[in-house]
Amino acid sequence: MEKHINCALLFLASLLLFLQGASASAANAADVVAPAEVVAAAPAQPNLNDKIKVFTVATEQTDGYRRYIRSAQVYDIEVTTLGLGEEWQGGDMKGLGGGYKINLLRKAVEELKDAEDTIILFTDSYDVVFTAPLTEILEKFKESGAKVLFSAEKYCWPDKSLADSYPAVGAKESRYLNSGAFIGYAPQVVELLKEEIEDTGDDQLYYTKIFLDEAKRAKLNIKLDTQSRLFQSLNGAQNDVKLEVDLDSNQGVLQNIDFLTTPAIIHGNGPSKINLNAYANYLAKTFSGVCTFCQEYPLELNEQELPIITLAVMVNQPVPFLDMFLAGIEKLNYPKKSMHLFMYSNAELHDELVQSYVTKHGKSYASVKYILSTDGLTESQGRQLALDKAKQKHSDYIFYVDGDAHIEDSEVLRELLRMNKQFVAPVFSKYHELWSNFWGALSETGYYARSHDYVDIVKRNLIGMFNVPHVTTIYLIKKSAFDAVKFEHKELDPDMAMSDSLRDAGVFMYVSNERYFGHLINADNFNTTVARPDFYTLFSNRYDWTLKYIHPNYSTQLNESVVIPQPCPDVYWFQIVTDAFCDDLVAIMEAYGKWSDGSNSDTRLEGGYEAVPTRDIHMRQVGLDALYLKFLQMFVRPLQERVFMGYFHDPPRSLMNFMVRYKPDEQPSLRPHHDSSTYTINIAMNRVGIDYEGGGCRFLRYNCSVTETKKGWMLMHPGRLTHFHEGLLVTKGTRYIMISFIDP
Ligand SMILES: *[C@@H]1O[C@H](CO)[C@@H](O)[C@H](O)[C@H]1NC(C)=O
Ligand SMILES: *[C@@H]1O[C@H](CO)[C@@H](O)[C@H](O)[C@H]1NC(C)=O
Ligand SMILES: *[C@@H]1O[C@H](CO)[C@@H](O)[C@H](O)[C@H]1NC(C)=O
Ligand SMILES: *[C@@H]1O[C@H](CO)[C@@H](O)[C@H](O)[C@H]1NC(C)=O
């Protein structure tokens, strides 16, 4: 483990030197890594970098370029990059273009025209990765017998009419020349580059014409690598290749299954870039037992000079548990003075909470701007406005967090910053579900497709950092990618538009699951017409519901060695729910408002008659019966089993779950009675001495009263026989209790 990290760090150092233009020798790094092993195992090899000159053209250090250079470094391949920092002259590479590459290369290799032993390897860089060292590349080139060997592809491009002029090939072979990678002896390559071409001319067409000229082809001994022995072009070849990933090390090998070759240079030409992105997550020793790529983060945060962040909090729709979401935002470990806060609410339900967050915490941020649903901005306008603010405030990054992404690791922002990517997101998924904030693959139509590794990434069976085609909900974007991001699109929703624009611009979207950063809540079927909508979501958001509504001390009471208080004989007292539970449930009942009239006639009951009537509302009346039965099963039953030994009824049955209201001028008390239950639970919903005075429960057989009830605590006692009891007089205020008659 240690060794991998050292290796990665050294490698990183050399990569940085390399990027800075110093001619770092990767061999040095390798020497330092594990001297004993390296010296013993490897007989002195000639440095093939002297013999094979590798060139690429890149005007910008895109993510694809960085990936390419990294793969070269992994295999000790020294690359000369032509055109770096210069303005691209080669036209729009989506159509024709690329003559510029030829002109740059010609200039760079001219002086090698007599160097008969020198070999020139040219590759594109933005969509290419190396998967083998130069020894293997050389061997494969020599086996071809060509003086110049071009990569081949399935499509004849850019001039389809030339297709028939190509030499015939066998079944499954790639017939057509691809200019993205070729290798040849220096004199022949210089000769090949001799003809004139405009910077905006098409390089593939240039080479194609030479190849199709039989005299020139013969003279230069040009061949195409039609069986992908050395080069694999991926466009149109999805079914020809297979990624084999070793289960222990997670290292991958891309094989051509038609010819059983393992090509050394993989090219995601044309639309196959997405496939290359997926394969490359496993190629070039991205993994070697651990995620080596993950260890290569260059950014150490300087506390004195932290990056400036625009924090864009996006509440695009009604979501449950926004209060807990905002608590997660508030707890982010990052100085607020280094953050510009932008908040967007597109849900009337949440305007108040958003506004109150701004009121309470806004002043600590460097600046604040907020948009409420009444402002009428669409989500894409909201997202764009956040980005505009980031630019205007000269932010180094923008961190978008949507209202359904609950941050649990307050280090998340710092961790993402350390990853030093143009775009990086933490993997968030719905609790114990496979629904996440990224897609592993795209379908033909640009929508979700499951990748081979999707489930393992979401479940964190596979830990690392992955380049994926689509990300939503929570992500960090670096300044250098701001201009590439577009949220507005005439067909796509804002997230898909963003992913689309970033793919287009060649900005890689990385997701990391190296830590568990948080989870998504489930906003599906969120019913916002009810008084306290969060309360209704136990079935859709069990985890968050439990966090919000179940007493934090609940589980300690399940420990056999913890003594449960008994205020009266066989009356047990538990901490079961939170203040939020009580407040929300009382609010739901009061909003409903149809308290029973306290008479003996009760149409809600089967017989229509209630012997000991209270002023109450049944859970069924507010649509909570099923939820409450689940609550009884999940949280009440285990406590019952602790105190009434040997009684197991799963699930507990209860026909009567209701809230009782005691008030001096309404119904202040309840006469002694038995409950028709095996056992009864009674949860105090508010505070004695504060919300009301008097009240409590008296068990007549024992002459024992519980008057100091505690909000959120539950009394549990046998029902039918022993525990004849009464509700004591409330003298002031209103007392609420929540009752269930269990197993009647
Ligand atoms: C939302 O809740 C109300 C009140 O319980 C109910 O009448 C309505 O049918 C619910 N709507 C949906 C879509 O579930
Ligand atoms: C949980 O129990 C501990 C120990 O009994 C107590 O100190 C603490 O206040 C309880 N927490 C809450 C929220 O009541
Ligand atoms: C149960 O409580 C005992 C005594 O407080 C403690 O030592 C033990 O670790 C607890 N067990 C569990 C599983 O929490
Ligand atoms: C019941 O208890 C109260 C005080 O707790 C006491 O004053 C009263 O005498 C008791 N009644 C009987 C019948 O024991």
Side-chain angles (χ1 to χ4, degrees), residues 121-292:
L121 170 62
F122 176 85
T123 72
D124 287 350
S125 56
Y126 297 161
D127 51 7
V128 170
V129 292
F130 291 102
T131 61
L134 287 176
T135 43
E136 200 174 317
I137 291 171
L138 181 62
E139 197 181 317
K140 289 176 168 175
F141 173 48
K142 289 203 161 151
E143 278 168 12
S144 77
K147 290 284 190 197
V148 177
L149 180 68
F150 268 92
S151 62
E153 64 162 300
K154 298 271 162 167
Y155 300 119
C156 183
W157 174 262
D159 183 352
K160 287 197 187 109
S161 71
L162 296 176
D164 292 338
S165 319
Y166 271 91
V169 294
K172 299 196 169 179
E173 290 188 45
S174 299
R175 188 177 180 186
Y176 307 106
L177 179 145
N178 179 281
S179 62
F182 64 88
I183 186 168
Y185 288 96
Q188 282 75 16
V189 170
V190 172
E191 175 88 14
L192 174 73
L193 297 169
K194 213 174 54 183
E195 298 178 20
E196 280 197 10
I197 179 169
E198 300 265 311
D199 278 347
T200 52
D202 189 78
D203 56 331
Q204 188 146 305
L205 188 61
Y206 172 99
Y207 295 122
T208 300
K209 283 184 171 161
I210 295 175
F211 177 75
L212 294 181
D213 180 326
E214 282 181 43
K216 289 178 184 167
R217 186 195 316 158
K219 179 166 173 237
L220 295 175
N221 187 5
I222 308 176
K223 290 186 180 173
L224 303 187
D225 184 19
T226 58
Q227 297 188 350
S228 299
R229 292 176 180 276
L230 174 52
F231 306 110
Q232 177 70 56
S233 306
L234 292 173
N235 195 20
Q238 279 84 325
N239 298 326
D240 304 353
V241 295
K242 187 160 195 287
L243 179 73
E244 291 287 356
V245 180
D246 178 89
L247 286 179
D248 293 322
S249 67
N250 290 320
Q251 286 205 42
V253 174
L254 194 72
Q255 292 180 322
N256 183 301
I257 52 177
D258 293 338
F259 300 103
L260 301 179
T261 59
T262 50
I265 296 171
I266 317 294
H267 182 199
N269 55 320
S272 68
K273 286 171 183 45
I274 289 178
N275 304 51
L276 178 68
N277 290 351
Y279 298 139
N281 285 329
Y282 299 90
L283 301 176
K285 301 183 186 170
T286 297
F287 281 99
S288 62
V290 294
C291 171
T292 45

Side-chain angles (χ1 to χ4, degrees), residues 511-661:
V511 294
S512 164
N513 65 357
E514 289 155 83
R515 289 163 68 134
Y516 173 77
F517 292 110
H519 70 284
L520 301 178
I521 51 88
N522 185 358
D524 298 346
N525 306 317
F526 184 45
N527 190 341
T528 57
T529 66
V530 295
R532 297 291 166 107
D534 288 0
F535 197 88
Y536 286 74
T537 65
L538 170 61
F539 293 104
S540 55
N541 288 285
R542 180 183 290 206
Y543 175 75
D544 302 274
W545 195 95
T546 302
L547 269 186
K548 181 165 179 172
Y549 293 122
I550 296 302
H551 198 286
N553 283 349
Y554 170 79
S555 8
T556 58
Q557 303 165 112
L558 301 175
N559 184 335
E560 294 289 341
S561 55
V562 170
V563 179
I564 305 296
Q566 256 184 99
C568 296
D570 284 332
V571 177
Y572 293 92
W573 215 2
F574 301 97
Q575 305 169 66
I576 188 155
V577 295
T578 58
D579 283 0
F581 181 104
C582 302
D583 298 344
D584 281 4
L585 196 50
V586 168
I588 287 166
M589 294 308 189
E590 286 296 357
Y592 177 72
K594 295 176 192 157
W595 298 91
S596 60
D597 61 8
S599 72
N600 293 115
S601 135
D602 192 339
T603 52
R604 300 169 301 177
L605 306 180
E606 226 167 81
Y609 181 82
E610 171 57 66
V612 192
T614 48
R615 301 280 184 160
D616 57 41
I617 294 174
H618 290 196
M619 282 303 225
R620 185 176 295 119
Q621 293 173 276
V622 291
L624 284 170
D625 219 38
L627 183 145
Y628 209 69
L629 289 174
K630 191 72 189 171
F631 165 79
L632 296 179
Q633 182 187 17
M634 286 174 69
F635 302 107
V636 174
R637 180 189 52 86
L639 298 177
Q640 173 268 301
E641 285 172 7
R642 259 220 67 196
V643 295
F644 296 122
M645 247 175 293
Y647 183 75
F648 299 104
H649 269 223
D650 188 10
R653 284 195 317 121
S654 175
L655 303 176
M656 295 268 282
N657 305 297
F658 54 98
M659 187 179 288
V660 179
R661 180 167 84 177

Side-chain angles (χ1 to χ4, degrees), residues 3 30-43:
K3 203 175 84 192
D31 281 348
V32 190
V33 177
E37 282 173 44
V38 170
V39 171

Side-chain angles (χ1 to χ4, degrees), residues 472-528:
T472 69
T473 319
I474 174 168
Y475 41 82
L476 180 69
I477 309 177
K478 202 188 246 183
K479 184 164 60 177
S480 55
F482 284 179
D483 287 332
V485 175
K486 304 271 177 293
F487 294 109
E488 202 73 59
H489 192 285
K490 56 184 186 306
E491 283 159 30
L492 303 177
D493 72 29
D495 278 329
M496 285 188 62
M498 178 197 72
S499 296
D500 191 64
S501 64
L502 290 176
R503 290 197 304 269
D504 248 20
V507 174
F508 290 170
M509 287 167 273
Y510 287 102
V511 294
S512 164
N513 65 357
E514 289 155 83
R515 289 163 68 134
Y516 173 77
F517 292 110
H519 70 284
L520 301 178
I521 51 88
N522 185 358
D524 298 346
N525 306 317
F526 184 45
N527 190 341
T528 57

